[in-house]
Amino acid sequence: MTDFQRFPGRATTLGEGMQIVRLLPTLGRRTIGAWCFLDHFGPVNVAAGRGMRVGPHPHIGLQTVTWLLEGEVLHRDSLGFTQPIRPGQLNLMTAGRGISHSEESPAQRLPRLHGAQLWIALPESRRHGEPAFEHHASLPRVEYAGLGVTLIVGEAFGQRSPASIHTPLVGMELRARASQETQLPVHPAYEHGVMVLKGTATVEGQEIAPGELLYFGTGRKALGIETRDAATLLLVGGVPFEESILMWWNFVGRNREELVAVSREWNAGIDRFGRVNGYDGERIPAPLPPWAAEA
Ligand code: MN
């Protein structure tokens, strides 16, 4: 099969000036299953300065998946959770109808930070529901051929991640310690995206390095993954998301009016998003969408 696409990431900044690479959404691809956002940050030296600083900001209509290879991030949210996350652990925040949170490097920290934040669009049946937060300190791990597989969300290899999800999807870390070649079984009803966090790999004959996304359509039973040296990849997949979403800033909605209204609600400080306690800094105001009527 040749139905793959290669997408370059684009450099952007996160919070107070951290340089990151955004791989999704991108021109020509909005979603992979319900995955609607893929950010790769680092590896970056956070020994000097204040490290990651993303002040209180809101979300609706999505789940955030935070995954680290190195370092530590401290999450605080309007439900009252204050949760550090370290490599191999999962922070999963379900925004539902509204939540706010901050993310920062802790005061005492390792010099390097490296990870990814991914968003999952919530279906209509869940997106108006209550916000929630889960921390999973350990996740199912299996060895498959030459790859160490950590199941972040979803099911694979007879294992199921404890993370709560609301549409059929999967997310896993694939870690090669050395040269290897594996036919990794995948769900044929899922479309998939592959990003490399560390090292390089060849997936279905396509070389890939950090900062690029490879997309594979449905109908595949396996993905051939070859590495010549140690490498760490993220594989995301899911049944193509049929609902038409619209994203603005930190919001996943369905139409322009909703996104204007929710941006104004955050800026007006209404209760919907709660309050983040303990972050030493200002909340981030929502930029109004360009289609917002002057009023
Ligand atoms: Mn956020």
Side-chain angles (χ1 to χ4, degrees), residues 10 22 24-25 30-31 36-37 57-62 64 95 99 119 121 127 244-267 272-273 284-294:
R10 64 191 168 87
R22 184 154 299 154
L24 199 70
R30 309 291 300 172
T31 53
C36 62
F37 185 95
H57 62 276
H59 289 285
I60 64 164
L62 58 84
T64 63
I99 196 167
W119 295 356
R127 77 183 188 101
S244 179
I245 63 171
L246 192 63
M247 292 172 64
W248 172 250
W249 195 46
N250 292 304
F251 304 124
V252 176
R254 293 298 183 273
N255 60 60
R256 291 180 161 201
E257 294 71 26
E258 179 186 16
L259 295 175
V260 171
V262 78
S263 298
R264 290 193 164 131
E265 286 178 33
W266 168 251
N267 290 345
R272 172 178 183 158
F273 301 104
I284 304 174
L288 284 184
W291 59 82
E294 298 295 333

Side-chain angles (χ1 to χ4, degrees), residues 15-265:
E16 294 177 13
M18 177 172 284
Q19 295 291 312
I20 62 155
V21 176
R22 184 154 299 154
L23 293 156
L24 199 70
T26 186
L27 201 63
R29 177 129 305 266
R30 309 291 300 172
T31 53
I32 299 172
W35 299 95
C36 62
F37 185 95
L38 304 175
D39 266 2
H40 179 190
F41 52 88
V44 60
N45 189 314
V46 291
R50 302 180 77 181
M52 178 186 275
R53 296 265 303 159
V54 186
H57 62 276
H59 289 285
I60 64 164
L62 58 84
Q63 295 178 290
T64 63
V65 169
T66 306
W67 186 253
L68 297 183
L69 269 61
E70 295 180 86
E72 188 174 349
V73 171
L74 181 63
H75 158 99
R76 305 175 197 268
D77 68 37
S78 54
L79 299 175
F81 289 95
T82 300
Q83 180 65 60
I85 178 174
R86 300 184 179 90
Q89 305 178 338
L90 168 64
N91 272 2
L92 177 70
M93 186 177 78
T94 303
R97 63 182 304 279
I99 196 167
S100 55
H101 74 143
S102 62
E103 292 159 295
E104 64 194 290
S105 295
Q108 300 291 323
R109 57 179 176 267
L110 295 167
R112 274 161 64 95
L113 177 64
H114 189 192
Q117 188 172 88
L118 306 84
W119 295 356
I120 301 166
L122 287 170
E124 189 65 24
S125 60
R126 181 63 182 85
R127 77 183 188 101
H128 303 287
E130 292 301 310
F133 176 80
E134 298 169 22
H135 174 76
H136 298 285
S138 70
L139 293 165
R141 292 172 196 275
V142 297
E143 292 293 324
Y144 188 86
L147 293 174
V149 180
T150 303
L151 196 55
I152 303 170
V153 300
E155 290 180 46
F157 306 105
Q159 305 281 323
R160 178 192 296 221
S161 163
S164 302
I165 52 173
H166 305 279
T167 51
L169 54 86
V170 73
M172 59 180 88
E173 184 198 78
L174 308 173
R175 196 169 288 221
R177 289 178 205 85
S179 173
Q180 61 80 44
E181 192 172 347
T182 300
Q183 285 291 319
L184 189 82
V186 295
H187 199 307
Y190 288 9
E191 56 187 348
H192 290 90
V194 181
M195 58 195 272
V196 178
L197 297 179
K198 194 174 176 182
T200 59
T202 302
V203 183
E204 290 291 294
Q206 301 298 310
E207 285 188 32
I208 182 173
E212 300 175 292
L213 174 71
L214 283 179
Y215 168 83
F216 298 95
T218 59
R220 289 175 183 274
K221 293 177 176 161
L223 287 174
I225 298 176
E226 189 178 349
T227 55
R228 291 184 178 176
D229 208 336
T232 304
L233 295 77
L234 281 183
L235 172 68
V236 297
V239 171
F241 195 68
E242 297 297 342
E243 297 178 32
S244 179
I245 63 171
L246 192 63
M247 292 172 64
W248 172 250
W249 195 46
N250 292 304
F251 304 124
V252 176
R254 293 298 183 273
N255 60 60
R256 291 180 161 201
E257 294 71 26
E258 179 186 16
L259 295 175
V260 171
V262 78
S263 298
R264 290 193 164 131
E265 286 178 33

